[in-house]
Amino acid sequence: MDGIVLLKEDHKTVEKLFKQFEKAGDDAHAEKRKIADQVIEELTTHTWIEEKIFYPAAREAAPDTKDHVLESIEEHHVVLWMLSELKDLDPTDERFDAKMTVLMENVRHHVEEEEKEWFPNIRKAMGRNRLTELGEQMEAAKKKAPRDPLAVPSADE
């Protein structure tokens, strides 16, 4: 699978979870906890494969994307810390929904920038064969990705 297609599929998966969370009722604490746990796992894996495989390859193929990569890593940093806080937060806590809402806003902004502004340039710079190779590497790496958001490199930076 093409690396950009794989990342976009991850984006769709997370967006579906966000919509489920938004549709859950105010008192659907168990459902919201389950959805938040899935979001934590999906985004932790996604940010890890982006940082370990995709971003370095993108910077190599298109050096002029350095600023975008650096901004993305900072956005990851914020998201990963929010994920780590959500992981331990009781869904009945009054901050749970608010934290999830801010997380969704951050992730949606990040996804929009990647998909509209950045991915088209990377696709041109890399070409189909390289993107397919990256997609295979990222798919394999998902199995080895950490489950703890704070184990992703940008969480420490």
Side-chain angles (χ1 to χ4, degrees):
M1 179 188 294
D2 174 313
I4 289 175
V5 171
L6 182 142
L7 295 175
K8 284 182 167 184
E9 289 297 316
D10 284 357
H11 292 166
K12 285 180 193 164
T13 298
V14 170
E15 182 58 32
K16 281 182 193 162
L17 292 168
F18 287 169
K19 285 190 180 347
Q20 287 174 19
F21 189 91
E22 289 169 332
K23 286 179 187 160
D26 288 341
D27 296 325
H29 302 299
E31 183 184 355
K32 286 181 173 180
R33 172 80 267 160
K34 186 177 168 210
I35 295 166
D37 289 342
Q38 289 176 279
V39 166
I40 291 164
E41 185 173 330
E42 289 291 334
L43 287 176
T44 299
T45 300
H46 180 82
T47 55
W48 194 77
I49 65 170
E50 274 190 328
E51 290 180 23
K52 289 288 194 181
I53 299 167
F54 190 76
Y55 289 172
R59 276 183 81 164
E60 185 181 311
D64 60 330
T65 65
K66 174 184 156 202
D67 289 345
H68 180 89
V69 171
L70 293 173
E71 182 183 324
S72 291
I73 288 171
E74 291 305 317
E75 289 171 349
H76 283 186
H77 176 80
V78 171
V79 165
L80 291 162
W81 276 93
M82 291 184 81
L83 294 174
S84 74
E85 292 169 3
L86 270 169
K87 194 171 142 191
D88 299 324
L89 193 59
D90 188 308
T92 62
D93 187 300
E94 66 179 357
R95 297 168 302 149
F96 190 84
D97 285 3
K99 196 171 288 289
M100 192 68 176
T101 299
V102 173
L103 172 76
M104 290 187 286
E105 289 168 357
N106 276 276
V107 170
R108 284 172 170 153
H109 164 80
H110 177 79
V111 165
E112 185 176 350
E113 279 188 345
E114 275 190 346
E115 291 190 1
K116 288 194 168 94
E117 299 170 22
W118 197 48
F119 284 174
N121 296 338
I122 298 303
R123 182 170 293 291
K124 278 185 212 148
M126 284 192 187
R128 190 179 333 151
N129 290 344
R130 179 68 177 125
L131 283 169
T132 301
E133 186 181 296
L134 278 177
E136 290 167 6
Q137 287 175 355
M138 289 189 293
E139 190 64 49
K142 279 185 171 194
K143 295 172 186 75
K144 295 181 263 175
R147 295 293 173 245
D148 177 4
L150 299 185
V152 177
S154 67
D156 268 349
E157 294 171 9

